[in-house]
Amino acid sequence: GDDVTNKLRVANALDKSNAQLQDLVDNTSDLIKLVSLEGKFLFVNRVWRERLGYDLEDLATLQLKDILWPEAADATLQLLKRIQEGEQVPDFETVFWDKQHKKIYLTGSVTCRYENGKPTAFRCILHDATSRVRAERSQSLYYSIANWMIKTQDLDEFYERVHEELGKVIDAKN
């Protein structure tokens, strides 16, 4: 018989290494995904699924275009095309819909995976920037309202300007 001791050691070491890597990927605070060039989800980590609310069964039928916020879809797909062509995009930003159709602002890095010199998939490590974006918009709103308060002498005009500024952030049609 053959001595398989070395093969067993290598297999055990590989299993341990894979388990550690899986633990790292599943327990990071980043949203990690691997998506094919056609937009099919090949892998998403636990944090990605929890933050966006999709389970593995949902992902079997979803495509990337299904979760892109409509107003961000064209820009995101153009960025992915540039990355596929070899361009480095240091600050990748996009907006997804979660399962409840709420916007999730994401920023991070996206690279292309190659096999035999040809691009095959996108590797994405993204951070949830929703809180930061909301805070920036709130700060801008407060600044605008304060500015109008200083500039406007007429109370009706001030209310009109506040309504206009609020309409940029939330639905304020009435």
Side-chain angles (χ1 to χ4, degrees), residues 8-98:
L8 287 175
R9 274 191 220 141
V10 169
N12 286 337
L14 187 58
D15 287 344
K16 183 178 179 180
S17 177
N18 284 342
Q20 289 172 337
L21 183 58
Q22 187 66 43
D23 182 58
L24 176 68
V25 167
D26 278 342
N27 291 299
T28 183
S29 60
D30 293 330
L31 289 78
I32 300 174
K33 70 177 177 168
L34 184 64
V35 63
S36 72
L37 299 180
E38 296 78 29
K40 182 177 175 8
F41 293 100
L42 304 173
F43 170 82
V44 298
N45 70 340
R46 179 187 53 80
V47 174
W48 192 99
R49 291 189 310 271
E50 288 174 359
R51 181 63 186 100
L52 294 172
Y54 297 106
D55 57 30
L56 293 175
E57 290 147 7
D58 295 326
L59 294 173
T61 60
L62 283 175
Q63 295 272 326
L64 178 63
K65 63 181 175 160
D66 298 328
I67 65 165
L68 283 172
W69 182 53
E71 293 180 29
D74 288 339
T76 299
L77 295 174
Q78 287 299 320
L79 276 176
L80 291 173
K81 184 171 178 54
R82 289 173 31 205
I83 291 168
Q84 182 180 345
E85 292 169 352
E87 186 176 332
Q88 299 292 320
V89 178
D91 297 319
F92 187 88
E93 293 184 2
T94 190
V95 184
F96 285 175
W97 286 115
D98 70 4

